[in-house]
Structures are given as structure tokens and as C-alpha cells.
Amino acid sequence: MRPVRTFAATAAVLVAFNVARGVGLFGDHADLAALGLLVVLALVAVVGRVDAETLGLERRHLGSGLRWGLVVLALVAAVVAVAALVPATSGVLDDDRAQVPYDHMLWEVGFGILVATVLPEELAFRGLLLGTGMRAWGPWRGALASSALFGLWHISPTLNTMADNAALDGLSSSTPGRVLVVLGNVAVTFVAGLVFSWLRIRSKSLLAPIVAHLSTNGVAFVAAWLVRR
């Protein structure tokens, strides 16, 4: 395995996908395209001869990963519940994307969030990038590099979805406001990337950030769905 080369190959795949997504190449099939991304990332791991330990997929650490992930799930659920109940913060959860029927909500959490978002992103950022980055430069340099890319990864989707959130409606109507929202989201997702990286390093399992990532996205979406009821 050549970690720097595999890191660069993974980053190149993500850049190409993000550009294609940003220009609307996938149209209404972004979720299916994400499945394709997952397959390509798996091929990068195979071609790069990335072992299970580097990816965080060793079976002996799955229990540790699940325990750490469930701790984050409990914390996220508590924070989101408080945010939903407090009038000053409940507006953040008022998102037009959550105005869907019950079965669509379940599909979005199970497929749109878990399969089409969490799995490819975690394989990419906390699996391939963090794993090979740690091999090449050590744990925290690897975490900084993968988390910086994770933050930049969210520029395109932020631009495409900021208008759907009622709390951001005023900011998204002007160019300076949009820039502020994008920079803020890049900063937040960079910090989230560091937290997910720490979970992966601490538990030695990719399962920990997978569960944590599903918690942050899924719990927030379900809470937004409840707020819209």
C-alpha cells in the first residue's frame, strides 16, 4: 500500500464527484450517483491494497465502535430535543425538505441519509483519507487533512439547499449572506470531521463515526419532520 498515492486518488475521486454534483450533472439521481461513488471508493481501496485496519473495518473493534457511536447518538438526541423545544432555536429545524409523508421520512433516513450520504462519506473521509493520512503523516495530521476536505466537500450542497431552511432565508437572499452561510457550514463540518476522526481513532473502528454521522443527520431530520407536523 502506498498511503499518499491512495490519499490523492481518493481526493481526486471526491473532487470529480463534487464538481459533477455542483453543476447538476446527476439531476434528480444524486442518491443513485452516491451509490456509484461508494463503489468507486471501494475499488480505490482494493486497487490501493488498503487493509481492514487502515479502513477501520477490523471485526474485533466493531463492538468498541458501536458503543462510542451510541454514546454520540444519545448526546445528539438530547441536544436536538432541547433545540426543538426552545423557541429561540426551534427555527433552525424548520426545513422544507422535512415536509414529507411518514413513509418518505423513513426512506430518507434509511436510504438518503444512511446509504447515500453517511456510508460513502465515512468510507471516504474517515476510512480511506483518514486511514491513509494516518499512515503517511500520523493521526492528527491525517485528521486535519481529512477534516479540511470534509469541510470543503459541503460547499456545493450548502449552496443548493440553504434556501430550504427558514432560519437562513434572509441570509441566502444576498451574495454576502450566502458566502457567510457557506463559510459557516464549512467551519462546522470541519469541526464535525475532527470529532468523527477522533471517534474513529479512539474506537479503532469506522463504525463509531458511521453511527455518529447517522445520528447527527438522521436525528436532526426526524426532529425537523416532527416540527413540520
Side-chain angles (χ1 to χ4, degrees), residues 10 48 52 72 95 118 131 134 137 146 173 203 210 214:
T10 303
V72 175
D95 196 316
V118 172
M134 289 194 295
W137 309 300
S146 62
S173 63
S203 67
I210 285 175
L214 176 61

Side-chain angles (χ1 to χ4, degrees), residues 46-200:
V46 171
V47 172
R49 298 181 181 179
V50 183
D51 57 29
E53 181 182 2
T54 301
L55 290 173
L57 294 176
E58 283 191 315
R59 290 180 60 184
R60 62 195 176 103
H61 297 306
L62 291 179
S64 173
L66 180 60
R67 288 192 296 273
W68 279 97
L70 290 176
V71 168
V72 175
L73 171 60
L75 291 173
V76 169
V79 170
V80 171
V82 171
L85 294 173
V86 176
T89 57
S90 61
V92 176
L93 297 172
D94 188 5
D95 196 316
D96 290 341
R97 290 169 293 173
Q99 194 170 3
V100 294
Y102 176 72
D103 56 338
H104 288 200
M105 182 271 290
L106 292 179
W107 173 259
E108 178 62 23
V109 173
F111 183 79
I113 294 178
L114 175 59
V115 177
T117 302
V118 172
L119 293 183
E121 289 187 0
E122 289 309 315
L123 178 59
F125 293 99
R126 262 65 64 180
L128 283 163
L129 290 177
L130 178 59
T132 56
M134 289 194 295
R135 293 288 190 189
W137 309 300
W140 293 111
R141 288 183 181 179
L144 286 170
S146 62
S147 299
L149 291 173
F150 187 58
L152 295 174
W153 169 260
H154 286 82
I155 291 176
S156 176
T158 301
L159 287 170
N160 291 333
T161 61
M162 66 173 70
D164 295 328
N165 192 299
L168 301 176
D169 187 50
L171 286 173
S172 64
S173 63
S174 67
T175 298
R178 288 193 292 272
V179 171
L180 185 61
V181 171
V182 169
L183 291 177
N185 201 40
V186 168
V188 168
T189 48
F190 169 71
V191 173
L194 289 177
V195 173
F196 293 156
S197 295
W198 180 84
L199 286 168
R200 156 72 203 281

